[in-house]
């Protein structure tokens, strides 16, 4: 085995400035790909008509040809309009350019982009959605139909382009494979705001017409592709650098878990094309992802359906290409050069004109394979498949689907038959060239190329690659060859055995899928032992148990293995535990089993949690822990989750409906300084504050400051702290900047003890009474009519949650419920008794009694009123006092909310005792219930909470240029 015929290994520019020839997004490894500028021409697509190919300068992997434009077209490099009738189009990825811009093109073609990814990281695609004025990162076409979007980065793709997308998502944690402390820009091409300005030249770099411009997905800097070379390669996270959790400070060994599991993202229940769904639309035309234009349906064109390997045939996934139709002796001939299948060979028909391109070339372009068409052949489907061989099972089913799909081609239905469904195969090779990458070894090259023979094994490759990488002095026994499949949804790593014959290995991969071969790399890695350690959060357990009791309960429920699983943390008050698992397979088994297990008829929750390396955090770093309630505020929480994951590190964004606040607080338990952002209503804020109070003794930062992004209906605490009446689409980057600039204020927290056991001698009802319980309060506590209205609203929302999707509708329901209670009278002052500071207080004739801690009630109303009163002190949020106010009915409440009246001032104090003589509606911070007769004791709780109050400024609307 000898080194390939390259003068020297290609230099790795990872330590220098990443060039803009990196794949639509990721820093590249070195030189760009080759540009195949041959004499052939092929059919165009979109607004242009094919013309004669014109040789052009070398560009990274593109195959440019001159085309005649028939519609307004824009350059994908400078985003300017292309004047005149001629432009240059890449036959593979549809990159369009001015002639003057050809020499400046650095963006790689989709066919070579996978080879330029520095660290392969899989994407997290959510459910399909409609994304207006966005473009596919693979075929560069507009997303005119429901498409897919990565939940972690700004990658947008058509569903049938997903298998061809680069595994170039953001690297958000260390996983033991390619861990570096230096962080570089992570470029993503296109889909910028139309008014985006280049950081270098200050000219407009965004476009709503084409995929143009670059944006770093960590710091947010936006530049032209040409201008990016002028920037330093290191990324410092931009304006939000003190709020972002650096990837180098997060560790997660996720060998057996997908990125969806690692980032706690709900997986779509609908499988996408290319991912094992046999019912998906199997046809994909040669212009990737888009139907062949009607003008291509001509009698001189022939439609072929191409499979790239046995796996595609099994799944029934093919690509449609259009090639010139031959006649007579020159029509597509079928021969049998190999016993396994017949090959299809295209021959000229005695015509003086040469076909636009051979079927092999068209097939390779359809699958984005940048190799020489002469090394491949087209083969007909196996005869056993067409005959319905029972052993072929799924293959026969796929073949039936081919016949069914025939009418989808551009030609008439009779022009497409099963015989025109072909497989593209690589010709047998006695030698091959293998690129070996240095994994995490710090060397000065991107890869070395080695020539393989029939006798080449993984061990001989290691022996020959070490001297080329400058590691000849080290023992070969401490290295191993790792095969990495860089799929767009998951990156799979396989350690090859020393005796593995690599030439056979490559043949098997090509036989399975040629596309898979183009997405496979081989790394030379150190054989250092990796101590498996996975943290699993288990929620939904019974509360109040000890560590040994939780261990026994889990062992009984899911059969944990004592030698591999241990309980590291217990949160008894919330019924949760954290497991340390020392085996990847056991961690995966437990994760899947716990999600389908219930204890005491209560389903369990399982989450994979990362470890924050708090000792590596920069001194000025104060990361932001984000909690989002996706059910709050008209269901805007789903979009906020996705946006915050892209602006920050996804590991610092938690969904409250998936385990509550506890998993996030546990992840940040060792961080010395952090802040919290709660996205939800007043009830959500109270939920997070209660969790903070219960876990305070577990936190290295026992008093983190809390900011609010109001998503609820009332949002009274958010109003008081200047965060607004409710989120209405403001730019989230500006919201995060406001959080960073906010001031810390103190707010009182109150404890309410509910004791129903001391009602007036009701011995016959003692068995039905609830045990004493404690709730926390930040805003207000209502007894009587206001709690009754809140309870009716809550019950209506529980019955039909799908109707409560807007803040305006929610307030309308409140109004309707209030009108129904206009004539209601229960003389609350006769059903309750009030003591303030151990003194009995006589109540006036009221229907509602309200204890307020903040100057906002019922969506912003000032219930206490602005007028001074010599009997009481001026209310404040941190004075340790509650104000007691009464309302006479629904009409009075409406007048208060309209600013016409104030409530009836009754008392002010720090300790209250309320005796309920009858079952009465009660609500605390918007959470209502019916309280049985008994006592309510309200008193101040421990330390005050630290809240963040927004500075007075007007946030930017979404879509405006971000200040990077």
């Amino acid at each position: 085995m000898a080194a390939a015929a390259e003068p020297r290994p290609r230099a790795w520019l990872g330590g220098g400035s990443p060039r803009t020839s990196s794949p639509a997004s990721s820093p590249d490894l070195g030189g760009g790909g080759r540009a195949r500028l041959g004499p052939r021409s092929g059919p165009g697509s979109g607004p242009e008509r094919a013309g004669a190919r014109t040789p052009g300068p070398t560009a990274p992997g593109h195959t440019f040809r001159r085309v005649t434009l028939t519609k307004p077209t824009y350059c994908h490099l400078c985003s300017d309009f292309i004047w005149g009738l001629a432009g240059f189009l890449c036959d593979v990825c549809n990159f369009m350019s001015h002639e003057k811009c050809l020499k400046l093109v650095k963006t790689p073609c989709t066919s070579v982009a996978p080879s330029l990814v520095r660290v392969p990281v899989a994407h997290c695609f959510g459910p399909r959605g409609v994304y207006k004025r966005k473009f596919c990162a693979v075929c560069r076409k507009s997303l005119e139909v429901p498409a897919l979007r990565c939940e972690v980065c700004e990658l947008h793709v058509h569903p049938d382009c997903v298998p061809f997308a680069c595994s170039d998502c953001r690297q958000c944690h260390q996983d033991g494979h390619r861990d570096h402390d230096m962080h570089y820009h992570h470029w993503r091409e296109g889909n910028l705001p139309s008014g985006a300005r280049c950081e270098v030249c200050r000219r407009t770099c965004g476009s709503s017409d084409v995929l143009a411009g670059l944006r770093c997905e960590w710091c947010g800097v936006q530049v032209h592709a040409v201008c990016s070379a002028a920037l330093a390669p290191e990324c410092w996270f931009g304006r939000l650098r003190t709020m972002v959790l650096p990837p180098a400070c997060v560790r997660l060994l996720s060998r057996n878990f997908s990125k969806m599991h690692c980032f706690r993202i709900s997986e779509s229940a609908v499988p996408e094309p290319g991912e094992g769904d046999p019912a998906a639309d199997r046809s994909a035309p040669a212009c990737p992802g888009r139907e062949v234009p009607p003008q291509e349906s001509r009698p001189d064109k022939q439609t072929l359906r191409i499979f790239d390997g046995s796996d595609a045939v099994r799944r029934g996934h093919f690509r449609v290409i259009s090639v010139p139709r031959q006649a007579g002796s020159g029509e597509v001939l079928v021969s049998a050069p190999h016993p396994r299948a017949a090959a299809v060979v295209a021959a000229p028909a005695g015509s003086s004109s040469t076909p636009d391109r051979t079927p092999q070339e068209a097939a390779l372009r359809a699958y984005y394979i940048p190799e020489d068409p002469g090394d491949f052949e087209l083969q007909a489907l196996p005869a056993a498949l067409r005959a319905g061989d029972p052993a072929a099972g799924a293959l026969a089913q796929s073949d039936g689907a081919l016949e069914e799909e025939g009418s989808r081609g551009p030609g008439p239905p009779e022009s497409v038959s099963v015989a025109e469904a072909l497989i593209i195969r690589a010709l047998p090779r006695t030698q091959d060239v293998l690129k070996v990458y240095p994994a995490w070894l710090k060397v000065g090259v991107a890869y070395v190329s080695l020539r393989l023979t029939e006798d080449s094994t993984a061990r001989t490759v290691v022996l020959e690659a070490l001297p080329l990488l400058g590691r000849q002095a080290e023992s070969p026994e401490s290295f191993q060859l790792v095969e990495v499949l860089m799929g767009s949804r998951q990156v799979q790593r396989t350690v090859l055995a020393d005796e593995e014959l690599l030439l056979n290995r490559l043949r098997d991969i090509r036989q399975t899928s040629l596309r898979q071969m183009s997405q496979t790399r081989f790394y030379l890695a150190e054989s250092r032992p990796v101590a498996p350690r996975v943290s699993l959060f288990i929620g939904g357990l019974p509360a109040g148990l000890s560590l040994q009791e939780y261990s026994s309960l889990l062992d009984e429920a899911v059969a944990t293995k004592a030698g591999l699983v241990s309980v590291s943390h217990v949160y008894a008050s919330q019924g949760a535990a954290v497991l340390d698992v020392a085996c990847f397979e056991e961690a995966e088994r437990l994760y899947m089993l716990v999600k389908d297990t219930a204890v005491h008829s209560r389903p369990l929750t399982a989450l994979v949690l990362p470890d924050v390396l708090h000792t590596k955090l920069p001194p000025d770093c104060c990361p932001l822990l984000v909690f989002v309630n996706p059910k709050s505020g008209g269901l805007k929480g789903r979009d906020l989750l996705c946006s915050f994951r892209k602006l920050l590190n996804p590991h610092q964004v938690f969904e409250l409906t998936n385990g509550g606040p506890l998993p996030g607080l546990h992840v940040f338990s060792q961080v010395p300084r952090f802040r919290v952002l709660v996205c939800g209503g007043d009830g959500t804020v109270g939920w997070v504050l209660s969790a903070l109070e219960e876990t305070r003794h577990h936190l290295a930062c026992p008093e983190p400051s809390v900011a609010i992004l109001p998503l609820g209906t009332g949002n009274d605490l958010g109003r008081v702290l200047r965060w607004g009446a409710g989120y209405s689409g403001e730019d989230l980057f500006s919201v995060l900047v406001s959080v960073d600039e906010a001031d810390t204020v103190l707010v009182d927290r109150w404890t309410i003890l509910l004791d129903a056991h001391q009602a007036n001698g009701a011995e016959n009802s003692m068995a039905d009474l609830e045990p004493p319980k404690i709730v926390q309060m930040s805003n207000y506590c209502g007894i009587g009519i206001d709690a009754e209205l809140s309870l009716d609203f809550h019950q209506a929302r529980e019955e039909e949650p799908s109707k409560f999707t807007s803040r305006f509708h929610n307030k309308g329901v409140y109004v309707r419920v209030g009108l129904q209670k206009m004539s209601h009278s229960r003389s609350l002052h006769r059903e309750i008794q009030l003591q303030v500071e151990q003194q009995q207080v006589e109540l006036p004739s009221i229907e509602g009694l309200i204890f307020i801690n903040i100057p906002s009630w019922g969506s912003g109303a000032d219930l206490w009123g602005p007028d001074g009163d010599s009997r009481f002190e001026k209310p404040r949020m941190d004075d340790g006092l509650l104000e007691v106010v009464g309302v006479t009915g629904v009409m009075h409440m409406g007048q208060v909310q309209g600013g016409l009246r104030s409530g009836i001032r009754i008392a002010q104090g720090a300790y209250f005792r309320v005796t309920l003589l009858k079952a009465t509606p009660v609500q605390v911070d918007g959470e209502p219930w019916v309280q049985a007769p008994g006592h309510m004791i309200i008193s101040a709780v421990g330390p005050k909470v630290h809240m963040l109050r927004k500075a007075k400024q007007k946030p930017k609307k979404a879509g405006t240029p971000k200040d990077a």
Side-chain angles (χ1 to χ4, degrees), residues 21 23 59-63 90 92-94 106-114 116 368:
S21 57
H62 292 289
T63 307
C90 175
V92 179
C93 69
N94 300 317
K106 300 297 182 184
T107 303
C109 181
T110 305
S111 61
V112 301
L116 303 177
Y368 300 100

Side-chain angles (χ1 to χ4, degrees), residues 672 674 692 695-697 699-704:
F674 70 93
L692 272 172
T695 58
R696 187 184 302 273
H697 60 284
L699 303 178
C701 176
E703 297 180 352

